[in-house]
Amino acid sequence: MIYLDNAATAIKRDEILNYIIEHKESFDGNPDSTHAMGREAKKILEDARVKIAKSIGAKPFNVIFTAGATESNNAVLRDFSEFQVITTAIEHDSILNTIDRDKSILISADQSGKISLDEIKERISDDVKLVSIMYVNNETGVIQPIREIGEYLADKDIWFHVDAVQAYGHIDIDVEDIKCDSLSLSGHKIGGINGFGILYLRKNLKPFITGGEQEKDRRAGTSFVAGAYSMAESFPKMLNERNHVKNLKEHFIYKLAETSINYEINGNVDSSSDHVINIFFADYKADFLLTYLDMNGICASAGSACRAGSVLPSHVISSMYDEDRAKHSVRFSFGYQNTTDEIDKTIEVLERL
């Protein structure tokens, strides 16, 4: 298989999984237990918290471990459910399916894939208590003006939340620099184990899962030690892989331009992350293209994998252009395990069609 769907989930890292298996006894204990096994698991957990916090310029106390970015996003959005929210039409479903649409203001992206800070300024009112913007779009890879938004909101009584799932490991993140109040990350997007994420909180929310006193009484539930370890250990590897992934994307664009395929890139590729590209193929619908690619051993997608495995038109591309263009658009996303030979094979398969 040629796996070009890394934005859906990254390939797990053998060296990290092997370490967990080989040192299984260190991960077996409940980190809230006071005996030796519990203390050993607790040390792994807290070491991971320190590393993850450092990776985003945060203090360890401000990093809460969750079951993933969906939970993290939900926790923030639900805490502001009584208030007016500004977000965008290109957010992940964990944002769009959690907000109250009647109270929310959705900012559209233009055909470059970017939202406008000026439009946010125009829509700000005394009723708005939360602004939630994703850092890197999961379907186009376009980077949003997060730093500028944070600067604008810094002196206002408005909570600023950032979904940074697709940014983490691909671009530098510093929570102090972007002046966010909360930020969500997911471990499996960088090669960690599925089912683990974090919520950075500058100021506390009310507890969003109740039960025990884990996470300083902010999020109950037995901690996922192996998930925390795998995310913390994956991040430095991502930093070393950036140039490789960037070269893969550039090679894909170069080779595609050499063909006679009728295509356009969705969004401004010059303002996008190095691991995602979204292509409009005028002559074929996405569901046909994905089936053809799959039959030839190539994995890609039509949009977010969180839409229950469906090939519905991307709400992101639909909002930027129209639904017909979305029905003809495919996302390719690159990872550390991919090679230029795999890119060449993918282009050959597309050209043969």
Side-chain angles (χ1 to χ4, degrees), residues 140-153:
T140 64
V142 173
I143 303 168
Q144 303 304 325
I146 294 298
R147 185 178 290 103
E148 293 81 358
I149 296 170
E151 286 282 354
Y152 173 71
L153 295 174

PDB file of all heavy atoms in Angstrom, residues 140-153:
ATOM      1  N   THR A 140      -7.254  21.348   3.249  1.00  0.00           N
ATOM      2  CA  THR A 140      -6.444  22.087   2.264  1.00  0.00           C
ATOM      3  C   THR A 140      -5.016  22.320   2.745  1.00  0.00           C
ATOM      4  O   THR A 140      -4.136  22.615   1.933  1.00  0.00           O
ATOM      5  CB  THR A 140      -7.064  23.464   1.957  1.00  0.00           C
ATOM      6  OG1 THR A 140      -7.040  24.267   3.154  1.00  0.00           O
ATOM      7  CG2 THR A 140      -8.500  23.318   1.458  1.00  0.00           C
ATOM      8  N   GLY A 141      -4.797  22.232   4.047  1.00  0.00           N
ATOM      9  CA  GLY A 141      -3.483  22.532   4.604  1.00  0.00           C
ATOM     10  C   GLY A 141      -3.193  24.005   4.751  1.00  0.00           C
ATOM     11  O   GLY A 141      -2.097  24.382   5.199  1.00  0.00           O
ATOM     12  N   VAL A 142      -4.149  24.868   4.409  1.00  0.00           N
ATOM     13  CA  VAL A 142      -3.912  26.315   4.447  1.00  0.00           C
ATOM     14  C   VAL A 142      -3.788  26.792   5.900  1.00  0.00           C
ATOM     15  O   VAL A 142      -4.593  26.433   6.760  1.00  0.00           O
ATOM     16  CB  VAL A 142      -5.031  27.082   3.715  1.00  0.00           C
ATOM     17  CG1 VAL A 142      -4.867  28.594   3.903  1.00  0.00           C
ATOM     18  CG2 VAL A 142      -5.020  26.724   2.227  1.00  0.00           C
ATOM     19  N   ILE A 143      -2.761  27.601   6.137  1.00  0.00           N
ATOM     20  CA  ILE A 143      -2.471  28.128   7.472  1.00  0.00           C
ATOM     21  C   ILE A 143      -3.266  29.413   7.695  1.00  0.00           C
ATOM     22  O   ILE A 143      -3.230  30.333   6.867  1.00  0.00           O
ATOM     23  CB  ILE A 143      -0.960  28.410   7.619  1.00  0.00           C
ATOM     24  CG1 ILE A 143      -0.157  27.118   7.343  1.00  0.00           C
ATOM     25  CG2 ILE A 143      -0.641  28.956   9.009  1.00  0.00           C
ATOM     26  CD1 ILE A 143       1.329  27.361   7.174  1.00  0.00           C
ATOM     27  N   GLN A 144      -3.968  29.476   8.808  1.00  0.00           N
ATOM     28  CA  GLN A 144      -4.790  30.638   9.124  1.00  0.00           C
ATOM     29  C   GLN A 144      -3.992  31.691   9.906  1.00  0.00           C
ATOM     30  O   GLN A 144      -2.989  31.355  10.557  1.00  0.00           O
ATOM     31  CB  GLN A 144      -6.024  30.202   9.921  1.00  0.00           C
ATOM     32  CG  GLN A 144      -6.884  29.167   9.208  1.00  0.00           C
ATOM     33  CD  GLN A 144      -7.350  29.623   7.831  1.00  0.00           C
ATOM     34  OE1 GLN A 144      -7.625  30.802   7.612  1.00  0.00           O
ATOM     35  NE2 GLN A 144      -7.435  28.683   6.894  1.00  0.00           N
ATOM     36  N   PRO A 145      -4.422  32.958   9.866  1.00  0.00           N
ATOM     37  CA  PRO A 145      -3.667  34.038  10.533  1.00  0.00           C
ATOM     38  C   PRO A 145      -3.879  34.048  12.050  1.00  0.00           C
ATOM     39  O   PRO A 145      -4.410  34.997  12.629  1.00  0.00           O
ATOM     40  CB  PRO A 145      -4.239  35.299   9.875  1.00  0.00           C
ATOM     41  CG  PRO A 145      -5.648  34.928   9.505  1.00  0.00           C
ATOM     42  CD  PRO A 145      -5.593  33.471   9.114  1.00  0.00           C
ATOM     43  N   ILE A 146      -3.455  32.981  12.699  1.00  0.00           N
ATOM     44  CA  ILE A 146      -3.727  32.785  14.122  1.00  0.00           C
ATOM     45  C   ILE A 146      -3.028  33.830  14.986  1.00  0.00           C
ATOM     46  O   ILE A 146      -3.613  34.367  15.932  1.00  0.00           O
ATOM     47  CB  ILE A 146      -3.303  31.359  14.550  1.00  0.00           C
ATOM     48  CG1 ILE A 146      -4.179  30.315  13.864  1.00  0.00           C
ATOM     49  CG2 ILE A 146      -3.365  31.210  16.065  1.00  0.00           C
ATOM     50  CD1 ILE A 146      -5.651  30.403  14.203  1.00  0.00           C
ATOM     51  N   ARG A 147      -1.786  34.124  14.677  1.00  0.00           N
ATOM     52  CA  ARG A 147      -1.048  35.100  15.488  1.00  0.00           C
ATOM     53  C   ARG A 147      -1.725  36.468  15.449  1.00  0.00           C
ATOM     54  O   ARG A 147      -1.861  37.136  16.479  1.00  0.00           O
ATOM     55  CB  ARG A 147       0.398  35.202  14.996  1.00  0.00           C
ATOM     56  CG  ARG A 147       1.265  36.112  15.860  1.00  0.00           C
ATOM     57  CD  ARG A 147       2.705  36.144  15.382  1.00  0.00           C
ATOM     58  NE  ARG A 147       3.394  34.880  15.628  1.00  0.00           N
ATOM     59  CZ  ARG A 147       3.638  33.974  14.697  1.00  0.00           C
ATOM     60  NH1 ARG A 147       3.253  34.185  13.441  1.00  0.00           N
ATOM     61  NH2 ARG A 147       4.264  32.859  14.995  1.00  0.00           N
ATOM     62  N   GLU A 148      -2.166  36.876  14.263  1.00  0.00           N
ATOM     63  CA  GLU A 148      -2.826  38.179  14.123  1.00  0.00           C
ATOM     64  C   GLU A 148      -4.162  38.206  14.862  1.00  0.00           C
ATOM     65  O   GLU A 148      -4.519  39.215  15.486  1.00  0.00           O
ATOM     66  CB  GLU A 148      -3.038  38.492  12.644  1.00  0.00           C
ATOM     67  CG  GLU A 148      -1.759  38.735  11.846  1.00  0.00           C
ATOM     68  CD  GLU A 148      -1.062  37.464  11.403  1.00  0.00           C
ATOM     69  OE1 GLU A 148      -1.534  36.359  11.746  1.00  0.00           O
ATOM     70  OE2 GLU A 148      -0.027  37.568  10.704  1.00  0.00           O
ATOM     71  N   ILE A 149      -4.880  37.101  14.805  1.00  0.00           N
ATOM     72  CA  ILE A 149      -6.162  37.020  15.523  1.00  0.00           C
ATOM     73  C   ILE A 149      -5.920  37.094  17.025  1.00  0.00           C
ATOM     74  O   ILE A 149      -6.627  37.794  17.761  1.00  0.00           O
ATOM     75  CB  ILE A 149      -6.908  35.727  15.144  1.00  0.00           C
ATOM     76  CG1 ILE A 149      -7.281  35.743  13.658  1.00  0.00           C
ATOM     77  CG2 ILE A 149      -8.181  35.565  15.987  1.00  0.00           C
ATOM     78  CD1 ILE A 149      -7.800  34.423  13.134  1.00  0.00           C
ATOM     79  N   GLY A 150      -4.905  36.367  17.497  1.00  0.00           N
ATOM     80  CA  GLY A 150      -4.582  36.394  18.915  1.00  0.00           C
ATOM     81  C   GLY A 150      -4.194  37.775  19.403  1.00  0.00           C
ATOM     82  O   GLY A 150      -4.593  38.198  20.499  1.00  0.00           O
ATOM     83  N   GLU A 151      -3.421  38.489  18.591  1.00  0.00           N
ATOM     84  CA  GLU A 151      -3.038  39.863  18.940  1.00  0.00           C
ATOM     85  C   GLU A 151      -4.264  40.751  19.075  1.00  0.00           C
ATOM     86  O   GLU A 151      -4.373  41.555  20.008  1.00  0.00           O
ATOM     87  CB  GLU A 151      -2.099  40.425  17.862  1.00  0.00           C
ATOM     88  CG  GLU A 151      -0.684  39.873  17.886  1.00  0.00           C
ATOM     89  CD  GLU A 151       0.172  40.489  18.976  1.00  0.00           C
ATOM     90  OE1 GLU A 151      -0.301  41.433  19.645  1.00  0.00           O
ATOM     91  OE2 GLU A 151       1.301  40.010  19.167  1.00  0.00           O
ATOM     92  N   TYR A 152      -5.193  40.601  18.139  1.00  0.00           N
ATOM     93  CA  TYR A 152      -6.391  41.438  18.146  1.00  0.00           C
ATOM     94  C   TYR A 152      -7.273  41.161  19.362  1.00  0.00           C
ATOM     95  O   TYR A 152      -7.843  42.079  19.961  1.00  0.00           O
ATOM     96  CB  TYR A 152      -7.182  41.213  16.855  1.00  0.00           C
ATOM     97  CG  TYR A 152      -8.521  41.901  16.849  1.00  0.00           C
ATOM     98  CD1 TYR A 152      -8.621  43.281  16.757  1.00  0.00           C
ATOM     99  CD2 TYR A 152      -9.690  41.156  16.954  1.00  0.00           C
ATOM    100  CE1 TYR A 152      -9.849  43.917  16.775  1.00  0.00           C
ATOM    101  CE2 TYR A 152     -10.933  41.777  16.970  1.00  0.00           C
ATOM    102  CZ  TYR A 152     -11.006  43.158  16.874  1.00  0.00           C
ATOM    103  OH  TYR A 152     -12.226  43.778  16.896  1.00  0.00           O
ATOM    104  N   LEU A 153      -7.368  39.877  19.744  1.00  0.00           N
ATOM    105  CA  LEU A 153      -8.272  39.497  20.839  1.00  0.00           C
ATOM    106  C   LEU A 153      -7.638  39.640  22.218  1.00  0.00           C
ATOM    107  O   LEU A 153      -8.337  39.545  23.235  1.00  0.00           O
ATOM    108  CB  LEU A 153      -8.720  38.045  20.650  1.00  0.00           C
ATOM    109  CG  LEU A 153      -9.570  37.737  19.413  1.00  0.00           C
ATOM    110  CD1 LEU A 153      -9.791  36.231  19.297  1.00  0.00           C
ATOM    111  CD2 LEU A 153     -10.907  38.471  19.467  1.00  0.00           C
TER     112      LEU A 153
END
